[in-house]
Amino acid sequence: MSLVGASGAGKSTLLALIAGLSRPDRGTVRVDGIDLAELSERRRARVRATRIGIALQSDNLVPCLTALENVEVAIGFAGRRTRREARLRAALLLDRLGVGSRGRQRPRHLSGGEAQRVALAVALANEPALLLADEVVAALDQETAGTVMDQVTSDRCAVLFVTHDITLADRAERRLRIREHRLVSR
């Protein structure tokens, strides 16, 4: 599903609420039947580590770690894989997203588009049930963005991505729009 709307309409805020990064002032946010507002910060973090992948508009990579290490750390949070398995999974994800050769680079040595793809690998690290992606292919050319979105949507998870690119938004099975602080279908 894609989400479009004018700047300042609340798209990023909505993703932060769904991810449990923010608590709603009113109403409820349920992910996989779980009311996130009822959970402690620690339990919300656990849900994010195991069920929700988040790739934000601004890169959220740890600057002192390499691209490969950033993905490995995310895998470690879920505690499901050995260190060797984590390294293999991280390398596989970086390869799938076209940045495998950049695995030993720190974020400051990556282009904006490379950093976005590493951030996506981090978000996909634990095979989330839900991927929330906020303008994560904005720094990529159209062809690379399409290839990356094909990779992202080929995983077996629900995807909600924010974009200003209508062509990209139309690739989703369903397109939502935020207009006048209301979520409307197409």
Side-chain angles (χ1 to χ4, degrees):
M1 187 177 307
S2 64
L3 178 62
V4 296
S7 295
K11 301 177 301 291
S12 297
T13 300
L14 179 60
L15 289 189
L17 288 165
I18 295 169
L21 294 169
S22 300
R23 289 182 188 240
D25 294 332
R26 61 183 185 268
T28 59
V29 176
R30 292 188 191 282
V31 174
D32 202 15
I34 301 167
D35 185 347
L36 297 179
E38 291 180 358
L39 301 179
S40 67
E41 179 55 41
R42 183 180 182 146
R43 294 210 41 225
R44 281 197 321 272
R46 182 75 182 150
V47 169
R48 283 191 297 274
T50 59
R51 294 185 175 168
I52 303 172
I54 307 163
L56 300 174
Q57 192 170 5
S58 59
D59 76 69
N60 52 342
L61 302 175
V62 180
C64 63
L65 300 178
T66 66
L68 187 67
E69 290 166 340
N70 266 277
V71 182
E72 286 180 76
V73 165
I75 293 169
F77 285 138
R80 296 182 192 150
R81 299 177 192 261
T82 67
R83 190 175 190 131
R84 184 176 190 286
E85 290 170 335
R87 180 155 289 244
L88 290 171
R89 170 112 177 113
L92 174 72
L93 283 167
L94 292 175
D95 281 342
R96 276 185 51 206
L97 295 169
V99 287
S101 65
R102 307 294 285 154
R104 295 193 182 277
Q105 300 300 311
R106 294 201 182 341
R108 71 179 175 272
H109 297 294
L110 300 173
S111 71
E114 289 169 338
Q116 284 183 325
R117 287 180 278 171
V118 173
L120 266 173
V122 168
L124 292 168
N126 292 312
E127 301 171 279
L130 173 63
L131 173 66
L132 302 172
D134 191 358
E135 292 288 353
V136 293
V137 294
L140 301 175
D141 61 85
Q142 286 271 317
E143 183 178 338
T144 305
T147 301
V148 167
M149 288 307 297
D150 287 343
Q151 286 296 316
V152 168
T153 56
S154 71
D155 276 11
R156 292 186 297 183
C157 68
V159 178
L160 173 59
F161 66 95
V162 170
T163 184
H164 286 100
D165 183 336
I166 298 302
T167 304
L168 194 59
D170 284 340
R171 293 176 67 138
E173 290 176 22
R174 186 168 177 208
R175 187 173 84 191
L176 298 176
R177 175 177 294 280
I178 291 184
R179 184 179 289 153
E180 298 177 14
H181 306 289
R182 293 191 183 272
L183 198 57
V184 294
S185 187
R186 215 167 186 160

